[in-house]
Amino acid sequence: MKKLIIGLFSFLVLGLGYGFSQSVYVLYDADLSQAKYANKIMREALISKGYKISENRTQYDFLLNLDVNAVNLDKESYRIIPDRKTITINGGDANGLLYGCLSLREKINNGIKLHEIVYEEEKPEME
């Protein structure tokens, strides 16, 4: 019985700690006001869920790449593209980038872990 309790305790401590002690580096264009705000809200969401923010561009568990890609996306559109340890949010413009970050922030706040994020693409509906 004692071994069972110790084993269960170890599993809970190690298992729960895995997802929440990972470090994230956020790469963004500091010259873009929407990207600066997106960086701020993403950091707050990540920290609130136990992730650590890495200030070292070469040492992290996840890279969060915030980028504007006006060539492949329409204005205010965005894509969330997970690829192993990198999650890229492309916006068709700065507003699209912000919308993508707001979407990812909502997922994180709802308890979805970074390794569970799936591809998403949204664009505004014009009538």
Side-chain angles (χ1 to χ4, degrees), residues 26-58:
V26 183
L27 180 62
Y28 69 102
D29 182 354
D31 293 332
L32 197 58
S33 61
Q34 291 93 332
K36 284 168 72 171
Y37 179 70
N39 172 58
K40 177 182 179 291
I41 64 170
M42 292 309 306
R43 285 173 177 253
E44 290 170 354
L46 291 164
I47 290 168
S48 76
K49 292 300 181 180
Y51 290 95
K52 296 175 188 172
I53 302 301
S54 175
E55 301 300 332
N56 185 335
R57 190 172 178 167
T58 61

Side-chain angles (χ1 to χ4, degrees), residues 14-80:
L14 295 174
L16 292 176
Y18 169 74
F20 295 106
S21 64
Q22 295 178 318
S23 63
V24 180
Y25 182 79
V26 183
L27 180 62
Y28 69 102
D29 182 354
D31 293 332
L32 197 58
S33 61
Q34 291 93 332
K36 284 168 72 171
Y37 179 70
N39 172 58
K40 177 182 179 291
I41 64 170
M42 292 309 306
R43 285 173 177 253
E44 290 170 354
L46 291 164
I47 290 168
S48 76
K49 292 300 181 180
Y51 290 95
K52 296 175 188 172
I53 302 301
S54 175
E55 301 300 332
N56 185 335
R57 190 172 178 167
T58 61
Q59 294 181 330
Y60 53 81
D61 295 307
F62 280 95
L63 170 66
L64 185 55
N65 180 22
L66 313 180
D67 191 30
V68 173
N69 184 343
V71 174
N72 293 320
L73 290 168
D74 296 331
K75 288 183 179 182
E76 299 187 351
S77 299
Y78 69 86
R79 285 185 190 131
I80 299 174

Side-chain angles (χ1 to χ4, degrees), residues 78-82 99-100 103-104 107 118-122:
Y78 69 86
R79 285 185 190 131
I80 299 174
I81 308 165
Y99 298 150
S103 177
L104 182 58
K107 292 174 189 342
V118 297
Y119 179 87
E120 177 182 339
E121 184 172 349
E122 294 288 332

Side-chain angles (χ1 to χ4, degrees), residues 1-15:
M1 181 70 167
K2 187 176 181 181
K3 287 183 180 180
L4 178 63
I5 293 172
I6 291 172
L8 182 59
F9 178 76
S10 298
F11 172 76
L12 288 174
V13 170
L14 295 174

